[in-house]
Amino acid sequence: MAFADNGPVFTGQIFLWKKEDFPNLDSSFNHVVDTIEQGYLFHAHYSMFENYIWHNILVKRYGWPIIPLRQWRCTAALAASHALPRSLENAAKALELSHQKDMGGKRIMLKMCKPRKITKNNDDKWHEDPEDFQKLYEYCIDDVEVEREIDNTLPALSPMEQEVWFLDQLINTRGIAVDMDLVDSAIHLSKQHIEECNDKMFYLTDGMVDKATQVARMKQWMMTKGAFVDSLDKAAVDKLIADNVDPVIFDVLRLRQQVGKTSVAKFEAIKNAVAEDGRVKDSLIYHGASTGRWTGKIFQPHNLPRGSIKDTETCIKMIKRRDLETLKFLYPNVMDAMSSCVRGALVAGPGKDLLVVDFASIEARVLAWVAGEEGSLNEFRTGEDSYVKMAEAIFNTTEITKDMRFVGKTAVLGCGYGMGWKIFQASCASMGQEVSEKLARKAVDAFRKKNAKIKKLWYSVENAAKYAISYPNEWMLNWKKEGDFLYYKLPSGRKLAYHHPKIERKEKFDQMQDVLTFMGVSMGNHYTRQDVWGGTLVENIVQAIARDLLAEAMLRVEKAGYKVVLHVHDEIVAEVPEETNLLMGEQILKDFTNLITTLPDWAKGCPIEAEGWRGKRYRK
């Protein structure tokens, strides 16, 4: 463990001593304990990890005092709030700091913290070379130097955002309860079912393929049947099945689909993550997206499968019976049935209920509010179906079918950020509905005509951003360039950050244009230069505002005594005591929903709505 204020960094093997031994230690170690009691701040990169180590080792084993949550600060969160890479190594590189992470020291650390295999020539379980220890101490010091420079380089989180971070840490520490009977039963049945599928695969392929996961062998076998394929991913398999392939190939592909149901692996992820108290924790990543939205980890709560089974409660009861044959009889697609029940593994704790409330079409509402699109705003405020109204504009009729409403919905949810007809067409296809080029063009044009202010917003936002880059330290429609960052000040006061912004001359749409670029984290987690235009900037702004509405709603409900245990996209999940009185239970849900939809002062006029339910088991 290393210590520093603004002076030299030093280390101490403090884990060797108990609190009652403090008088016998150097006064510098006594000082560390004193700083906790005096309210000093403790900064760390990924501070939750440090907090867990402190609490579970120093506090539980050695009687050290607890560091209160409000005394922690996290430089990883600070880097993320500026849309920088989250890792210490890559954040330091992006900021071009004078101190950089010692990767050689990292290798020593990894070697020393992992047990090695004992052999007849080596009976030592751990690497404990004195020279390695010295390198480890130096590595620890270097890390603190890098963390401190990040902390001194970037502005601190705003007071409001610091409160959001505190709540994030509390929610992650609290976690959500897990139905381990369901988890264990699902894992048991899935393994049994996969074994049966593999046996069938072996039989159908005359022994060429042992397992349904052996893609290369499966391709070779299919070649012997006259079928040549480049891929056997989900999309490719779906297409092959739809093309009415040979019946034997069809059966093999069905087995491939069954075994390839990766969502079932989430049961394993949940099982591996459950703590001693039966809850899965630390599954949410603060500021995981550049807009401030949370992302997920461990079992990825933001990517839980919907599945096709509606009555999941009955399906869960059958899974818990662990009778594969009966389950197959009731649900022929076994893996899809279990996939449908992954959400149901998350439950209320003993004597508790879950309150689950979701914002309705939050981005479409915020976009209309930001753009001042009164027609759309009035539709939301009066409770009209905005998807139907959009369909009426597209098809020029008031007789709207289900398929027509789907096209209207896709336009409302997708076209607000400049989606063109090709992507619109592909988006509809990805959701199982084919639309012609003519209809796709018509839908995009109708959206832009109906929402002229939204279209205008794309260009005004982009032009203002370019102006701010060209004239640093001047505000232009909420944009301002300061140092290496271009900032956009949101209505909440929080700022979006774009690192090393530039205006570059590039060919775009067959002509040379001034394109706004910046350094950011890509989908592959690489820090690269990216192009951006007004539609994307508007998308960032709208998503950030929706995130701030969610964050402040969570602060309000937590202050009112509701304990938030999870939140997914625009949905808040809280745990409350059981109520036998139905009317009282309904009132609690109503009060909870009213708190969530209470607008902060900065969002007056934004027509938000939310709806929810109360129950024992998480569901969609």
Side-chain angles (χ1 to χ4, degrees), residues 39-107:
Y40 280 71
L41 301 182
F42 288 73
H43 296 248
H45 207 76
Y46 296 114
S47 66
M48 179 166 279
F49 174 79
E50 307 287 347
N51 194 356
Y52 284 161
I53 296 296
W54 185 284
H55 184 79
N56 288 293
I57 304 300
L58 293 177
V59 175
K60 288 186 177 180
R61 293 187 187 178
Y62 298 101
W64 279 59
I66 294 172
I67 301 177
L69 171 60
R70 300 186 74 84
Q71 288 176 235
W72 284 100
R73 297 294 185 273
C74 181
T75 48
L78 192 60
S81 74
H82 273 69
L84 295 168
R86 205 174 198 88
S87 74
L88 186 64
E89 173 194 0
N90 293 330
K93 287 180 181 178
L95 288 169
E96 300 174 340
L97 301 182
S98 59
H99 294 94
Q100 295 289 320
K101 187 172 179 68
D102 175 12
M103 300 310 293
K106 181 179 180 179
R107 287 189 289 273

Side-chain angles (χ1 to χ4, degrees), residues 439-455:
L439 178 55
R441 287 181 180 275
K442 189 175 181 181
V444 171
D445 290 344
F447 178 88
R448 295 182 180 185
K449 182 178 180 180
K450 184 174 183 291
N451 297 279
K453 288 187 177 179
I454 290 176
K455 180 181 177 181

Side-chain angles (χ1 to χ4, degrees), residues 367 370-371 452-462 534 538:
L367 176 59
V370 171
K453 288 187 177 179
I454 290 176
K455 180 181 177 181
K456 182 179 179 182
L457 183 65
W458 304 334
Y459 302 103
S460 62
V461 165
E462 180 177 342
V538 169

Side-chain angles (χ1 to χ4, degrees), residues 269-295:
I270 292 171
K271 180 180 177 66
N272 293 335
V274 170
E276 293 177 353
D277 61 359
R279 303 176 76 90
V280 61
K281 307 179 182 187
D282 197 19
S283 62
L284 301 169
I285 303 175
Y286 167 82
H287 224 295
S290 63
T291 58
R293 278 194 172 275
W294 280 263
T295 53

Side-chain angles (χ1 to χ4, degrees), residues 387-398:
Y387 304 152
V388 168
K389 299 301 291 185
M390 188 68 248
E392 289 176 356
I394 295 170
F395 295 98
N396 194 29
T397 179
T398 57

Side-chain angles (χ1 to χ4, degrees), residues 92 94 99 126 230 270 353 381 415 442 482 508-509 528 533:
H99 294 94
W126 301 97
D230 295 324
I270 292 171
D353 284 341
R381 287 169 181 152
C415 293
K442 189 175 181 181
E482 295 179 296
K508 191 174 180 180
F509 302 120
T528 59
W533 79 286

Side-chain angles (χ1 to χ4, degrees), residues 427-581:
S427 180
C428 289
S430 70
M431 291 181 280
Q433 185 160 328
E434 301 291 335
V435 300
S436 66
E437 176 184 335
K438 181 179 180 180
L439 178 55
R441 287 181 180 275
K442 189 175 181 181
V444 171
D445 290 344
F447 178 88
R448 295 182 180 185
K449 182 178 180 180
K450 184 174 183 291
N451 297 279
K453 288 187 177 179
I454 290 176
K455 180 181 177 181
K456 182 179 179 182
L457 183 65
W458 304 334
Y459 302 103
S460 62
V461 165
E462 180 177 342
N463 291 335
K466 288 177 178 177
Y467 179 93
I469 293 171
S470 301
Y471 299 94
N473 300 314
E474 288 188 28
W475 284 105
M476 181 61 180
L477 295 180
N478 291 16
W479 292 100
K480 186 178 183 182
K481 185 177 184 296
E482 295 179 296
D484 293 333
F485 289 92
L486 173 67
Y487 291 105
Y488 182 87
K489 188 175 181 180
L490 297 160
S492 66
R494 185 169 68 92
K495 296 177 182 177
L496 292 177
Y498 299 83
H499 196 207
H500 288 310
K502 289 182 181 179
I503 299 173
E504 300 183 62
R505 196 73 177 166
K506 291 187 174 186
E507 185 175 338
K508 191 174 180 180
F509 302 120
D510 299 325
Q511 60 180 331
M512 298 302 292
Q513 296 185 25
D514 288 336
V515 178
L516 194 159
T517 71
F518 70 99
M519 294 298 293
V521 181
S522 67
M523 291 295 289
N525 207 30
H526 301 293
Y527 199 61
T528 59
R529 183 155 292 278
Q530 303 174 31
D531 294 356
V532 68
W533 79 286
T536 311
L537 294 174
V538 169
E539 181 179 21
N540 292 168
I541 293 165
V542 169
Q543 288 186 355
I545 293 172
R547 177 270 191 192
D548 289 346
L549 288 168
L550 178 80
E552 294 202 24
M554 288 195 294
L555 287 170
R556 282 194 301 277
V557 299
E558 191 76 28
K559 185 177 180 181
Y562 297 97
K563 296 184 182 299
V564 180
V565 295
L566 185 69
H567 53 94
V568 181
H569 299 302
D570 304 309
E571 182 180 67
I572 300 175
V573 183
E575 204 172 53
V576 294
E578 286 177 334
E579 292 291 345
T580 55
N581 186 313

Side-chain angles (χ1 to χ4, degrees), residues 155-383:
L157 298 178
S158 69
M160 171 60 78
E161 198 57 27
Q162 190 64 60
E163 292 299 321
V164 173
W165 183 80
F166 287 145
L167 180 56
D168 167 81
Q169 301 294 283
L170 182 61
I171 294 169
N172 270 313
T173 302
R174 185 179 286 154
I176 187 168
V178 173
D179 181 348
M180 285 307 298
D181 186 14
L182 169 59
V183 170
D184 289 335
S185 297
I187 292 171
H188 172 81
L189 288 176
S190 64
K191 288 180 178 178
Q192 186 179 344
H193 184 60
I194 287 171
E195 286 179 7
E196 289 189 3
C197 287
N198 288 336
D199 288 343
K200 290 179 182 178
M201 179 71 73
F202 184 83
Y203 172 77
L204 289 171
T205 61
D206 297 320
M208 283 189 66
V209 185
D210 297 319
K211 299 178 181 178
T213 54
Q214 294 174 335
V215 175
R217 290 190 187 182
M218 204 177 301
K219 288 180 181 178
Q220 291 175 350
W221 173 80
M222 290 176 67
M223 287 175 61
T224 68
K225 297 293 183 180
F228 300 87
V229 296
D230 295 324
S231 172
L232 285 176
D233 62 14
K234 182 180 183 301
V237 171
D238 289 345
K239 186 176 187 306
L240 284 167
I241 289 175
D243 288 342
N244 296 317
V245 293
D246 178 274
V248 178
I249 295 178
F250 178 89
D251 290 341
V252 167
L253 292 175
R254 282 296 192 196
L255 292 172
R256 166 70 182 159
Q257 280 184 323
Q258 286 277 296
V259 176
K261 200 76 176 178
T262 56
S263 54
V264 178
K266 288 185 181 289
F267 284 114
E268 290 275 9
I270 292 171
K271 180 180 177 66
N272 293 335
V274 170
E276 293 177 353
D277 61 359
R279 303 176 76 90
V280 61
K281 307 179 182 187
D282 197 19
S283 62
L284 301 169
I285 303 175
Y286 167 82
H287 224 295
S290 63
T291 58
R293 278 194 172 275
W294 280 263
T295 53
K297 57 182 176 177
I298 302 177
F299 67 98
Q300 292 289 358
H302 292 74
N303 190 31
L304 293 174
R306 286 178 177 268
S308 61
I309 307 299
K310 301 302 180 183
D311 182 9
T312 54
E313 198 62 49
T314 298
C315 188
I316 287 170
K317 289 178 181 177
M318 296 309 304
I319 291 172
K320 288 184 176 184
R321 288 178 60 178
R322 301 197 181 194
D323 182 343
L324 182 58
E325 292 307 312
T326 301
L327 188 67
K328 284 195 294 185
F329 176 76
L330 295 172
Y331 307 98
N333 192 332
V334 172
M335 301 301 263
D336 183 68
M338 287 193 284
S339 179
S340 300
C341 297
V342 171
R343 292 173 186 268
L346 307 177
V347 296
K352 305 286 186 181
D353 284 341
L354 295 179
L355 290 182
V356 184
V357 171
D358 192 9
F359 282 114
S361 306
I362 185 66
E363 284 194 28
R365 294 167 182 270
V366 170
L367 176 59
W369 177 68
V370 171
E373 198 66 73
E374 288 300 325
S376 296
L377 287 171
N378 287 333
E379 289 171 9
F380 289 125
R381 287 169 181 152
T382 58

